[in-house]
Amino acid sequence: MSRARNQHEQPHGYRLGVCFYPEQWPRDRWESYARQMRALGLTYVRVGDFSWSDIEPRPGVFTWAWLDEAIDVLASESLQVVIATPTAAPPPWLTKAYPEVRPVDVHGRRLRGGSRRHCDLASPDYRREAARIAGAFARRYGIHPAVAGWQIDNELGDHGTGRSYSPAALQGFRGWLEHRYREVARLNEAWGARFWGQQYTDWDEIDLPNLTAGGPNPAHSLDFYRYSSDLVAEFLSEHATIIRAHSPSRWVTHNFMRLCDQFDHYPASAPLDVVTWDSYPTGGVEYSPLPPEEKARWARTGEPDLVSVNHDLYRGMKPGGHWVMEQQAGQINWAPSNPAPANGAVDLWTAQTWAHGGACTSYFRWRASTIGQELTHSGLLRHDETLDRGAIEIATSALDRESMVDERRHVVLLHDYESLWVYDEQPQSAGASYWSQFMLFYSALRGLGIDVDIRHPDDDLAGYRLIVAPALQLIDADRARRLTRWSKKARMVFGPRTGFRDRSGNVHSTGQPGPLEPLLGCRLRNTDAMPPQVTTLAAGHEVQIWAESYRVTRGDVVVAYDDGPFRGTAAVIRSGSCLTIGAWSTTLVRDLLATELAALGIPTVDLPKGVRRVSTRTREIWLNFNDTPTRTPGGLIVDPVSWCIERKRKD
Amino acid sequence: MSRARNQHEQPHGYRLGVCFYPEQWPRDRWESYARQMRALGLTYVRVGDFSWSDIEPRPGVFTWAWLDEAIDVLASESLQVVIATPTAAPPPWLTKAYPEVRPVDVHGRRLRGGSRRHCDLASPDYRREAARIAGAFARRYGIHPAVAGWQIDNELGDHGTGRSYSPAALQGFRGWLEHRYREVARLNEAWGARFWGQQYTDWDEIDLPNLTAGGPNPAHSLDFYRYSSDLVAEFLSEHATIIRAHSPSRWVTHNFMRLCDQFDHYPASAPLDVVTWDSYPTGGVEYSPLPPEEKARWARTGEPDLVSVNHDLYRGMKPGGHWVMEQQAGQINWAPSNPAPANGAVDLWTAQTWAHGGACTSYFRWRASTIGQELTHSGLLRHDETLDRGAIEIATSALDRESMVDERRHVVLLHDYESLWVYDEQPQSAGASYWSQFMLFYSALRGLGIDVDIRHPDDDLAGYRLIVAPALQLIDADRARRLTRWSKKARMVFGPRTGFRDRSGNVHSTGQPGPLEPLLGCRLRNTDAMPPQVTTLAAGHEVQIWAESYRVTRGDVVVAYDDGPFRGTAAVIRSGSCLTIGAWSTTLVRDLLATELAALGIPTVDLPKGVRRVSTRTREIWLNFNDTPTRTPGGLIVDPVSWCIERKRKD
Amino acid sequence: MSRARNQHEQPHGYRLGVCFYPEQWPRDRWESYARQMRALGLTYVRVGDFSWSDIEPRPGVFTWAWLDEAIDVLASESLQVVIATPTAAPPPWLTKAYPEVRPVDVHGRRLRGGSRRHCDLASPDYRREAARIAGAFARRYGIHPAVAGWQIDNELGDHGTGRSYSPAALQGFRGWLEHRYREVARLNEAWGARFWGQQYTDWDEIDLPNLTAGGPNPAHSLDFYRYSSDLVAEFLSEHATIIRAHSPSRWVTHNFMRLCDQFDHYPASAPLDVVTWDSYPTGGVEYSPLPPEEKARWARTGEPDLVSVNHDLYRGMKPGGHWVMEQQAGQINWAPSNPAPANGAVDLWTAQTWAHGGACTSYFRWRASTIGQELTHSGLLRHDETLDRGAIEIATSALDRESMVDERRHVVLLHDYESLWVYDEQPQSAGASYWSQFMLFYSALRGLGIDVDIRHPDDDLAGYRLIVAPALQLIDADRARRLTRWSKKARMVFGPRTGFRDRSGNVHSTGQPGPLEPLLGCRLRNTDAMPPQVTTLAAGHEVQIWAESYRVTRGDVVVAYDDGPFRGTAAVIRSGSCLTIGAWSTTLVRDLLATELAALGIPTVDLPKGVRRVSTRTREIWLNFNDTPTRTPGGLIVDPVSWCIERKRKD
């Protein structure tokens, strides 16, 4: 996977920042805000996102003065500015002039303006206008000394707009398919279009995969998701190029979202210099598939692994440290319920970002908005300009803001967006999803105190000692070859559905795991997609949601099912350095991973729920998400919703 | 708030009535029906609603004969007739001739005829045709001696049609905005349109606030709700004028619905002489946010406070006594489940209306329909013309039908539809809604045996000793000034979110409670929107759904939080005569209100669940909604699902 | 009800078959597949469904060669071929050429191709093209010696496409209404169109009954369902005629679905020779209204009665034995969760079909698909061509494949699709549905060991000793007369809502049970549609969901209610040979039916849950759906998920 050159080295040390909307506040407050920001120890201030109608109130008429001034005010306090281009919200005059810039949703409805993300990346009008305004920003501020970097757009794919079902998208999709397959016959073959008799004779017979009576062909959907994803990557690349043309030596980023499935973030992040994401731990819990009692438990802190998985994911996309571009610093506004974070949570999240290798945490937002859709969202300042609880935690934090050493970790989890798409397109079990299955393995490792990287399966995996592939559903010959090569140098663990499909999203004619069979030493016999309240047992462990039964081809049965239709058949197979786990079981997965780690001599601990550890050569960072104190093996007391650092003893 | 002159005094005494559809029954049954009605003691008979296609079967062709005759038959038994204009259901020929009379729903779909309320109040065609047919009715029956009054249309806003998202509505909305703001710049300011960069340069850039990707601007929505509400008020005013022009000395009403949010009922009721509402207690329970076990408990009686709150609400809109225009008298047909009411429930509801100052209860409907959408709905007669259980309860009721004395009550709750709209537009907590928060205070007072009025916050509140504002989210300087004036003469209690927003729906730049801060002596620190299963404690009381923590500016802390993120901070503040309650807690609110009442020397009782009392100078009316008997403090036994009157002892 | 002549006698004996898609597999596998099919003992192979785009890849260009060859290969192993015409999935070129072949859903959205059932039976284009391709198939293979029969289309009505809301459907509906009513005035009368003032003056004022604000008139809906249903019957009749013209001596069928409500299957099956249905027991459980713990219990076997009710239903449509055309033989793919069937389940389902008089079970599908929407669905072969668990059960089954004697049963249940439509159009109680109420009686009988037929109420019922009408809501004078005649010769049991409506869907002016009142000896007093958690008691039995209270006119009260609003009133009435049951109570219904059977001298047994018996003169077939063994009264042990045959002793 090619990576853009990192044009701008980030400074050493862990920095803080904030998202600021000067246009929403009286001019006479700016100086004092800037002073307060500096006093809080902030380095970066993001401005400009959603400012299009303030900068270009009428077509071609630009009012830069206020932003010029705002940047100067910030600069006067030595704050560095991150400029976000405002393309996430075209102004009403633009929406009116070019109605087709607005996307069409999956129900076939053309969405309206008046909100944000009314942007169809497939619309030539949108693309032309977006490039124009981004260019204007880049020219205006490209060499401003206070400008440290750029954020392209804002949260691409939010509100489900990563995929537009518009006529423009249809036209684009057809062209994309023609480019990919050249001949319709090859598309028919790749899609298995003879299934249900949908073989095409011409490109213009192809429709979008929504509004079908009985569900679309998954290969059709997969290609549409690829096309939509390519639009995102193309958009980011185009805008990175525009910005770099006018803004030398500044870095370019985009703020991605938590566990987002709308596009492939690997090619999307390729044209960027820095990867950032927006962290809202309480909202993450509300929208997670956790059971109600777990949601209640983590309501005020977020669930630790559901936060950190994003750190490990986005850190893996670029060297040099990722950012949290928007860090919740109080209650949010967009979840069904929006509880007040626990005392200490903002500091804990900030420390967690740092511990997981982040370079900066930038809080959202400076002052709580008095207008618009987010007026119930918190800021570092309250509506009345008093310092909110989050700001006080930042000001009083014990975090020393030294960079974490980005040490190579021993363990890596493999993640692939295409596998995610086909998984969630046909989950087959009500409780199953790609991310849930990924978290089954991720949380098991974190609960054992293991620090992990997350990488794309086609990346260079040299140096890892344990490679865990929780849910690599898409395996073709090339990928199988690469994985086989790594298996010579590392132990590997594979989860359910590994290798179920080829690149087109079809099943291998040899069945699961397709070309991985020589490596895994087994073939799938059957799957069991258990509904709620149905479970089975494997070596005494409760299995729910999903079970796979294997036929051994050259491996050994490690675990067999104790009951149910698969009784006596293999649930877990070992073949050489590879372990294949077919049973969805929290305790079984944990035990098996612990055994692998022990065999590798990688030490583990048995962490209580809510307690997590990050380990470096010299230190251990302990993070306690519980509302009770915890004691580390070394004897330190970690307060509720708090963290501490323990120096390692030299034995 | 201006009120139309009450053109027609209602007679003394509590009357009964019924809704009758002569056109649905054979001509030869009418005389016997009229006799039966009279024998049941009914005074009023409503006719005409939905009769448009029977009266004007083809454009301009009128067939009045049947209705002439029906009214004469009713008159011959000394029954008085209420004529409902038939505009709630345009005939198919009209829908075909003017397809745009039909509204567009929030999903952008043009609704069809064949049902009812396929009426777009923004459609000039609809308005013209509706005025035409209403005028024809008024001319025909305006001075008929049997005609006592008029009902304009039927249940405006039902089926969510209070807001149409049609091109006509868009055009009307733009005109309304232009009239309100004059300049686009003022609209941008009022809407905080710079949020997410949606500043307008021309009126025709403004769209309706539906079908947005990420949610509309709440100020945009608020104005659209105001515009839609104004259409309702304008429609009622227009039709009242039409009717009065031809029908001197008759009163004009409209039948509103239970806890309806589709428009502001204060201006809507202004042009009316009498306010009526339609009472379906079992349906109200089914659609309430009560937990499942409470829904089961009240399935056959309705929840007492969810019924009476409407009496107190609608009684407060006009002097002279409100009506129940449609009173459920058996099972209904439109809830998910439609249980048989308990024995005694019809009599109990009738007595409750009387006790809460109603002037008339009119039952829905005479005979159960054998046709159409409501053929599973009960009537006073069954399908087979036998007297149904409800009719027998009416016939055998002990109610003496004397008017209740409309005594001035000591306690008033303030209610404002604009606060309702902004509350429910951004509830922030899954369990929160305006009406739920309102009911938290209303039920606490009713459970203490307190009789209350409900009034608009900008009304004349002279004479009240305790003013309770459960959820006045919209507070501007004028309203703050008025409330401050009343605080000199009464104690006041304010609920959560009081003064969170200004008239535009934006947050005050000084934060909550904005201009009320000098009065309340506190400022909002933080909100806590708790998801299900999360609670906190305040002075030992369980708090759920919502908690606010305050900073004292000139008040005293009455209650502080015991735990959670707000531990030790203020939950309840007293400042002078004002108490501000930030914690959503049934028991705490009850205790605090009891304390206020005690301080005022207003006696309270501790009523069991399901038992309610209405008190006058000389009498106490006891209402028992439970399926077990209860004993009053005076020693009377009140049967299950029954009521009784106790004379007060002169001490 | 007229029945088409049975043109082709089915052979004696119970046969097996399979659904095969040769076009999805390499040519070089066909011979070995055919050999394997023969080795498994299969007789029939269905081919051709969904093959349109493979047979006619471009308009008018036919590629028959592959199908010719496939049929020859199958014939070479003495397999008989069932050809399914491919009209369930028009090719993309056709969808593009005639966009209106695609249906419009109830939300008004034109559906897209790329899936299946994008077919609007109201579209003249679709009908012409479908007839053309069906004719081409019939001409090509009509006299092929290996072709035993034909399946028209596939699963009509699947994905809710039985009703299209398209302009073509509107036009067709208007014509259908004009033909039915001749004069608009008669339609107005039949529909009770004066309700809510919707009287029509011209046919072109009539709209489809979707997208209404407040729900459509149920009589309007009923006629639209009839019209849509007539389209299905007309389509099947048209295609049967086309096929027979070219394929003498072959039988014609269609594969219906489980408990399908999309059309009236009696007229739809009339033009067929054989009736078949598609049996997916685990999916049936997932989509059933069973409570969660019951769903979990039957997750791996299906619920026995929810399977067999379809056998009894479809067997009753044609003499000579019905088929299961598609029998689940492993996990499916279309339910929320898709568990692995229990060991033995495939054999048990196959035996159950046989025991219920089926002539053939044809498994779905030969090899698990590697492409398309169903790639997670099992086959007899796995993806990797190994024999899957289901195939092994078939190969090792003890079933002797003798035909069951189709003995006349003593007990019949009456079923009417029009009653189903009006029931589910206005269920009135959240827990009520036509099929749930039908199953209340069906399961009670099956639990007593009673074998039943299911017949249309207007059928010849001679010979039955007990006639049970669980939910005949539609009763007109003719039907009442017929039922009264049968009451002279049999005992009869009627369930709730019997005779609530006339043919138009309106309520009888005499109320329920309308013209059945002389027979049933009672009239409805009241209904009680209980919400969840609300119950009442009748003779000690718990009643939930629905209760009816009766007034006796010439009958006797058998059971009265113990409590609630109906306390002391009649729940069950006997009048002569007829019993009317108004209380929805599993135990009460069972006890009452047991009493009736005892009175008739029909022996019953008390079967445990999950155990079912089919009885002939000489044998008893025992079916055990439990995961524990059971013992028959005769002392045989029946293994878990298994069956056995017990010879009856001659006493």
Side-chain angles (χ1 to χ4, degrees), chain C residues 536-651:
Chain C
T536 187
L537 283 178
H541 295 274
E542 187 178 271
V543 182
Q544 54 177 348
I545 296 173
W546 189 263
E548 292 184 348
S549 154
Y550 301 116
R551 177 162 61 90
V552 176
T553 54
R554 68 192 74 192
D556 300 307
V557 176
V558 177
V559 171
Y561 291 100
D562 303 333
D563 64 1
F566 296 168
R567 182 176 179 170
T569 69
V572 181
I573 298 286
R574 169 173 303 291
S575 179
S577 60
C578 294
L579 195 71
T580 303
I581 304 176
W584 186 303
S585 165
T586 307
T587 55
L588 176 61
V589 167
R590 180 188 171 103
D591 284 5
L592 290 166
L593 288 170
T595 307
E596 294 302 290
L597 291 160
L600 288 162
I602 300 173
T604 60
V605 285
D606 200 10
L607 297 177
K609 240 180 162 176
V611 176
R612 288 295 178 257
R613 184 189 73 179
V614 174
S615 219
T616 70
R617 259 191 315 271
T618 57
R619 302 186 289 191
E620 287 184 339
I621 299 98
W622 291 89
L623 306 158
N624 181 15
F625 281 70
N626 295 321
D627 57 4
T628 51
T630 193
R631 179 188 295 266
T632 70
L636 270 183
I637 302 291
V638 196
D639 286 339
V641 193
S642 189
W643 57 277
C644 74
I645 297 175
E646 195 166 21
R647 293 274 150 197
K648 281 187 175 170
R649 283 172 303 172
K650 291 174 187 146
D651 296 307

Side-chain angles (χ1 to χ4, degrees), chain B residues 23-25 50-54 57-59 89-96 102-103 105 109-118 158-159 161 286 292-297 299-300 331-343 365 367 369-378 382-386 388-389, chain C residues 106-108 165 170 189-202 204-220 426-431 473 497 500-502 505-512 523-536 545-546 551 564-567:
Chain B
E23 70 273 28
Q24 295 180 10
W25 306 110
F50 306 116
S51 68
W52 195 339
S53 83
D54 268 286
R58 289 166 195 279
W93 60 256
L94 194 152
T95 319
K96 181 189 159 201
R102 301 169 302 153
D105 75 6
R109 303 174 305 184
R110 177 77 70 179
L111 298 180
R112 292 184 171 158
S115 176
R116 64 175 175 179
R117 295 238 59 83
H118 38 284
D158 198 14
H159 313 301
T161 58
E286 287 263 316
E293 65 280 7
E294 287 287 297
K295 287 195 178 187
R297 173 166 184 171
R300 299 191 184 285
Q331 90 281 357
I332 61 169
N333 73 302
W334 45 264
S337 291
N338 299 284
N343 289 320
R365 48 185 281 161
R367 179 176 168 188
S369 181
T370 59
I371 54 174
Q373 283 86 334
E374 292 177 343
L375 53 72
T376 55
H377 196 290
S378 62
R382 294 193 183 90
H383 291 120
D384 70 357
E385 296 192 295
T386 54
D388 206 344
R389 296 160 60 236
Chain C
V106 72
H107 304 294
Y165 296 82
L170 175 57
E189 187 56 31
W191 284 12
R194 56 169 37 100
F195 193 88
W196 289 354
Q198 297 301 295
Q199 300 196 82
Y200 300 91
T201 66
D202 199 354
D204 65 2
E205 288 164 14
I206 298 167
D207 218 327
L208 297 176
N210 62 327
L211 297 178
T212 52
N217 185 315
H220 184 174
Q426 299 186 303
Q428 184 76 354
S429 179
Q473 194 161 144
R497 307 198 204 191
F500 181 55
R501 303 185 194 234
D502 64 22
N506 301 322
V507 179
H508 298 287
S509 64
T510 54
Q512 182 179 316
R523 284 194 176 179
L524 177 69
R525 289 177 77 256
N526 286 107
T527 64
D528 186 22
M530 286 167 277
Q533 305 192 19
V534 175
T535 58
T536 187
I545 296 173
W546 189 263
R551 177 162 61 90
F566 296 168
R567 182 176 179 170

Side-chain angles (χ1 to χ4, degrees), chain C residues 148-310:
Chain C
W150 293 82
Q151 175 189 302
I152 298 167
D153 203 86
N154 183 76
E155 293 185 346
L156 282 157
D158 199 14
H159 312 301
T161 58
R163 294 157 190 163
S164 173
Y165 296 82
S166 62
L170 175 57
Q171 196 181 336
F173 183 42
R174 286 174 176 166
W176 185 92
L177 290 169
E178 193 168 352
H179 181 263
R180 183 180 180 93
Y181 293 108
R182 306 292 175 192
E183 295 168 28
V184 174
R186 293 182 56 213
L187 174 142
N188 283 331
E189 187 56 31
W191 284 12
R194 56 169 37 100
F195 193 88
W196 289 354
Q198 297 301 295
Q199 300 196 82
Y200 300 91
T201 66
D202 199 354
W203 304 104
D204 65 2
E205 288 164 14
I206 298 167
D207 218 327
L208 297 176
N210 62 327
L211 297 178
T212 52
N217 185 315
H220 184 174
S221 292
L222 175 58
D223 270 350
F224 180 66
Y225 299 156
R226 283 176 172 139
Y227 158 72
S228 302
S229 178
D230 282 2
L231 280 182
V232 172
E234 183 185 281
F235 179 83
L236 286 170
S237 176
E238 175 189 345
H239 280 245
T241 301
I242 289 168
I243 290 165
R244 287 188 183 118
H246 303 288
S247 192
S249 311
R250 271 74 175 180
W251 46 261
V252 176
T253 191
H254 174 72
N255 58 333
F256 296 113
M257 294 181 295
R258 136 197 90 84
L259 299 184
C260 173
D261 67 351
Q262 295 269 300
F263 52 88
D264 188 334
H265 289 53
Y266 288 103
S269 64
L272 307 177
D273 301 302
V274 177
V275 166
T276 71
W277 74 284
D278 294 347
S279 176
Y280 294 94
T282 67
V285 165
E286 288 263 315
Y287 282 108
S288 77
L290 292 173
E293 64 280 8
E294 287 287 297
K295 286 195 181 187
R297 174 166 183 171
W298 307 116
R300 298 193 185 285
T301 58
E303 199 281 330
D305 299 331
L306 282 176
V307 181
S308 67
V309 67
N310 292 284

Side-chain angles (χ1 to χ4, degrees), chain A residues 361-383:
Chain A
T361 285
S362 164
Y363 301 96
F364 187 84
R365 48 186 280 156
W366 175 245
R367 178 176 169 189
S369 182
T370 59
I371 54 174
Q373 283 85 334
E374 292 178 342
L375 53 72
T376 55
H377 196 292
S378 62
L380 295 185
L381 301 192
R382 295 194 183 89
H383 291 119

Side-chain angles (χ1 to χ4, degrees), chain C residues 5-241:
Chain C
R5 183 174 48 85
N6 194 8
Q7 300 194 335
H8 186 98
E9 286 297 309
Q10 291 194 56
H12 285 293
Y14 183 59
R15 310 292 165 120
L16 303 181
V18 73
C19 301
F20 180 46
Y21 298 90
E23 70 273 29
Q24 295 180 10
W25 305 110
R27 172 63 190 84
D28 62 11
R29 309 300 305 132
W30 295 1
E31 276 82 3
S32 74
Y33 288 167
R35 278 194 303 275
Q36 279 181 288
M37 290 174 190
R38 188 180 185 180
L40 274 172
L42 307 185
T43 302
Y44 295 105
V45 183
R46 190 191 70 178
V47 299
D49 48 309
F50 306 117
S51 67
W52 195 338
S53 84
D54 268 287
I55 288 295
E56 190 185 12
R58 289 167 196 277
V61 178
F62 291 86
T63 54
W64 296 108
W66 68 267
L67 187 51
D68 293 353
E69 206 173 342
I71 294 173
D72 289 344
V73 167
L74 295 168
S76 71
E77 292 290 336
S78 304
L79 294 159
Q80 295 186 52
V81 174
V82 179
I83 299 187
T85 55
T87 46
W93 60 257
L94 193 151
T95 318
K96 182 189 159 203
Y98 308 106
E100 305 222 335
V101 304
R102 302 169 301 153
V104 172
D105 74 7
V106 72
H107 304 294
R109 304 175 303 186
R110 177 77 69 179
L111 298 181
R112 291 183 173 160
S115 175
R116 64 174 175 179
R117 294 239 59 82
H118 39 285
C119 310
D120 186 347
L121 297 196
S123 155
D125 288 333
Y126 175 70
R127 293 290 289 274
R128 182 190 64 247
E129 292 294 307
R132 189 179 59 75
I133 191 70
F137 268 73
R139 279 189 300 276
R140 184 78 184 184
Y141 300 113
I143 56 172
H144 192 295
V147 172
W150 293 82
Q151 175 189 302
I152 298 167
D153 203 86
N154 183 76
E155 293 185 346
L156 282 157
D158 199 14
H159 312 301
T161 58
R163 294 157 190 163
S164 173
Y165 296 82
S166 62
L170 175 57
Q171 196 181 336
F173 183 42
R174 286 174 176 166
W176 185 92
L177 290 169
E178 193 168 352
H179 181 263
R180 183 180 180 93
Y181 293 108
R182 306 292 175 192
E183 295 168 28
V184 174
R186 293 182 56 213
L187 174 142
N188 283 331
E189 187 56 31
W191 284 12
R194 56 169 37 100
F195 193 88
W196 289 354
Q198 297 301 295
Q199 300 196 82
Y200 300 91
T201 66
D202 199 354
W203 304 104
D204 65 2
E205 288 164 14
I206 298 167
D207 218 327
L208 297 176
N210 62 327
L211 297 178
T212 52
N217 185 315
H220 184 174
S221 292
L222 175 58
D223 270 350
F224 180 66
Y225 299 156
R226 283 176 172 139
Y227 158 72
S228 302
S229 178
D230 282 2
L231 280 182
V232 172
E234 183 185 281
F235 179 83
L236 286 170
S237 176
E238 175 189 345
H239 280 245
T241 301

Side-chain angles (χ1 to χ4, degrees), chain B residues 12 65 69 124 141 153 177 187 238 249 259 269 300 325 418 450 456 463 465 494 543 548 558 581 647:
Chain B
H12 284 295
E69 205 172 343
Y141 300 112
D153 203 85
L177 290 169
L187 174 142
E238 175 189 345
S249 312
L259 299 184
S269 64
R300 299 191 184 285
M325 182 57 90
E418 297 189 328
I450 301 300
H456 191 273
R465 301 174 62 202
F494 296 89
V543 181
E548 292 184 348
V558 177
I581 304 176
R647 293 272 149 198

